[in-house]
Amino acid sequence: MTGPFAHPYIPNAAPDVKREMLAAVGAESVEDFYADVPAGLRLGRPLDLPAPMRSEAALVRHMSGLLGRNTSTRDVLSFLGGGVYQHYVPAVVDEVVDRSEFLTAYAGEPYEDHGRFQALWEYQSLMGELLELDVVNVPTYDGFQAAGTALRMAGRVTGARRLLVASSVAPDKLSKIRDYVRPDHDVVVVPVVDGRADVAAVRAALAEGDVAAVYAEAPSYLGIVDPALPELGELAHASGALYVVNCNPISLGVVAPPASYGADIVCGDVQPLGVHMSFGGGNAGFIATRDDEPLVAEFPSRLFGVVPTAVEGEYGFGDVAYERTSFAIREEGKEWVGTAAALNGIAAGVYLALMGPQGMREVGETIMANTRYAITRLAAVPGVEVPHADAPHFADFAVRFTGSRTAAEVNDALLERGVFGGHALSERDALYCVTEVHTKDDIDRLAALLEEIAK
């Protein structure tokens, strides 16, 4: 085909319509809209797409072939973690979230509620109890966005520009935080020492002033639950900054919630709470604060509450302080609300209701026990070291290979034997993870395979 092409199902693809739209916004071409995207991130060529499929059968065959190239954690033993975790999801969680009134409802609002608002309010209430905080949002896209938004909230409250990162943070998460706060804030990473926060260096950075927040993670990217977490909060508050803590919610049955040691804003990802791994997806970000009006006013995302109706004994569920949001005030909003991950929030609510306080304690204790056993067992393998082994860990932990093979080569050798290893952190280091789904035999198998590979 030669000449301009107008797609039959995309009216704005018609050349005349496209020219009229560009003229209306004062743009010379579509390329003007991508001017802020660095050249290094631009593809610079057409997408490598297959020839058009002429039938549904051909399309299904093509897609099935692509999907068949994936290897799932259902097929192999996995020790991957670092942000998306393999936990057991009770069958009733899927049964509830697959109901049509939840599954098909868009993240904005369904035309008829059918209990969705109440389900999200119940989720917020359960998360509030877990976090020991009053206000929890309807989930954002993922924990990365929640971290960026929490830090921007702190910046709006304090009016300061600098953000201090005191923990080890996943490189891709740190990249997203920098990108998200870039218009208003400078991110200052305070290097960790022996995997833990350098309190003296944080104190010195705070002394320079203009700090909106100190950001820490519990556990950190390396899986360490840092004993310095309370002191970081004290330092932040003494300098007039807020304390923002990103936590793994499934740890809170055994690890103190960040609010108990001074966190002003708590954020994270609900994926560990009843949400399946999905080839890197299955995420939803939470943000929580105490019921403090200056903090609550800075939430850009939706908050649901419960109020009595005109009928005695009847209650309704819906938005709280809707005027905060970009739904209400559009471009004047604090941030854009965007599409939420509300369905995963409902899944987390069902999971928390099933588990209860005792269940959350038991799963947390199991993960901590498995983590300690894995650290001890792997540290005994010749050619394997576990840095920071003396620190308290939850789920994730770093491993260093001292033999002739790199971390990537070890992972390749493990995959040949039907095991996913850890995320490579560097040439020699990798991040491994165990949860409640791993058994002693699984960990022993990993140790035996590593010993075999080392030889």
Side-chain angles (χ1 to χ4, degrees):
M1 176 181 291
T2 59
F5 170 68
H7 196 285
Y9 306 132
I10 307 177
N12 295 339
D16 291 343
V17 176
K18 188 180 294 186
R19 280 194 295 271
E20 187 177 348
M21 293 175 66
L22 290 170
V25 298
E28 292 292 330
S29 70
V30 175
E31 286 295 311
D32 291 353
F33 300 117
Y34 302 102
D36 289 338
V37 179
L41 299 179
R42 305 283 293 274
L43 186 61
R45 59 171 175 77
L47 291 172
D48 184 15
L49 297 175
M53 306 292 168
R54 296 296 182 183
S55 68
E56 181 177 324
L59 178 60
V60 169
R61 176 182 293 181
H62 174 72
M63 294 304 299
S64 296
L66 292 178
L67 293 171
R69 291 160 58 184
N70 288 316
T71 301
S72 166
T73 55
R74 292 186 296 269
D75 306 319
V76 299
L77 178 61
S78 173
F79 294 94
L80 292 168
V84 177
Y85 299 95
Q86 185 180 11
H87 293 286
Y88 182 72
V89 178
V92 71
V93 174
D94 293 330
E95 187 69 24
V96 173
V97 298
D98 285 347
R99 291 178 61 89
S100 60
E101 60 267 39
F102 295 145
L103 187 63
T104 62
Y106 179 66
E109 294 187 19
Y111 291 105
E112 296 181 27
D113 178 21
H114 294 304
R116 181 170 171 270
F117 286 0
Q118 180 177 355
L120 287 167
W121 180 82
E122 299 285 4
Y123 153 75
Q124 292 175 164
S125 301
L126 289 159
M127 285 293 291
E129 184 175 350
L130 184 69
L131 297 163
E132 294 186 5
L133 285 168
D134 308 304
V135 181
V136 182
N137 68 323
V138 174
T140 62
Y141 273 128
D142 57 25
F144 288 15
Q145 183 190 354
T149 291
L151 289 167
R152 287 184 64 114
M153 287 171 61
R156 291 194 291 269
V157 170
T158 63
R161 182 167 183 91
R162 298 169 68 230
L163 302 170
L164 302 186
V165 176
S167 298
S168 58
V169 179
D172 49 354
K173 181 189 291 185
L174 183 60
S175 172
K176 180 53 64 178
I177 288 174
R178 288 186 190 277
D179 186 52
Y180 206 77
V181 306
R182 178 163 46 100
D184 300 302
H185 297 287
D186 300 319
V187 177
V188 178
V189 177
V190 181
V192 299
V193 176
D194 195 27
R196 283 159 274 201
D198 185 339
V199 174
V202 172
R203 184 183 291 109
L206 284 166
E208 298 178 19
D210 197 28
V211 176
V214 173
Y215 174 85
E217 297 200 344
S220 71
Y221 178 50
L222 300 180
I224 296 173
V225 182
D226 197 332
L229 287 167
E231 188 174 359
L232 293 175
E234 293 170 4
L235 291 175
H237 294 153
S239 69
L242 295 186
Y243 189 29
V244 178
V245 178
N246 190 305
C247 72
N248 183 340
I250 205 170
S251 73
L252 298 182
V254 289
V255 177
S260 70
Y261 50 82
D264 300 292
I265 307 175
V266 181
C267 58
D269 201 305
V270 304
Q271 186 274 325
L273 304 178
V275 181
H276 293 280
M277 300 174 78
S278 182
F279 301 99
N283 300 94
F286 68 85
I287 306 168
T289 69
R290 59 187 178 275
D291 189 9
D292 182 10
E293 187 172 350
L295 287 172
V296 176
E298 298 304 332
F299 274 88
S301 43
R302 300 182 74 183
L303 306 171
F304 282 158
V306 57
V307 293
T309 70
V311 179
E312 187 174 352
E314 182 180 83
Y315 293 87
F317 303 86
D319 284 280
V320 173
Y322 188 74
E323 67 278 0
R324 298 169 297 102
T325 69
S326 60
F327 285 138
I329 53 178
R330 312 312 290 172
E331 67 272 11
E332 300 301 323
K334 312 282 187 182
E335 296 173 40
W336 184 249
V337 171
T339 301
L343 186 66
N344 288 341
I346 293 175
V350 177
Y351 181 86
L352 289 172
L354 283 169
M355 296 292 283
Q358 183 62 29
M360 291 300 293
R361 181 179 181 86
E362 290 175 1
V363 72
E365 288 175 341
T366 302
I367 293 171
M368 289 202 82
N370 283 352
T371 308
R372 180 48 52 187
Y373 179 75
I375 289 172
T376 304
R377 184 71 178 83
L378 295 190
V381 175
V384 177
E385 295 179 356
V386 180
H388 331 304
D390 61 319
H393 284 74
F394 188 91
D396 293 299
F397 58 97
V399 168
R400 178 168 298 149
F401 300 106
T402 60
S404 60
R405 297 202 186 196
T406 66
E409 289 170 342
V410 170
N411 281 345
D412 289 342
L414 284 172
L415 189 55
E416 291 173 0
R417 294 159 172 82
V419 173
F420 283 141
H423 295 288
L425 300 174
S426 65
E427 183 179 2
R428 293 291 173 183
D429 294 347
L431 188 69
Y432 279 66
C433 172
V434 292
T435 69
E436 80 284 2
V437 304
H438 294 91
T439 65
K440 178 178 179 295
D441 288 344
D442 292 335
I443 298 168
D444 289 340
R445 179 186 172 195
L446 173 63
L449 288 175
L450 290 176
E451 188 165 356
E452 175 189 320
I453 292 167
K455 290 178 180 177

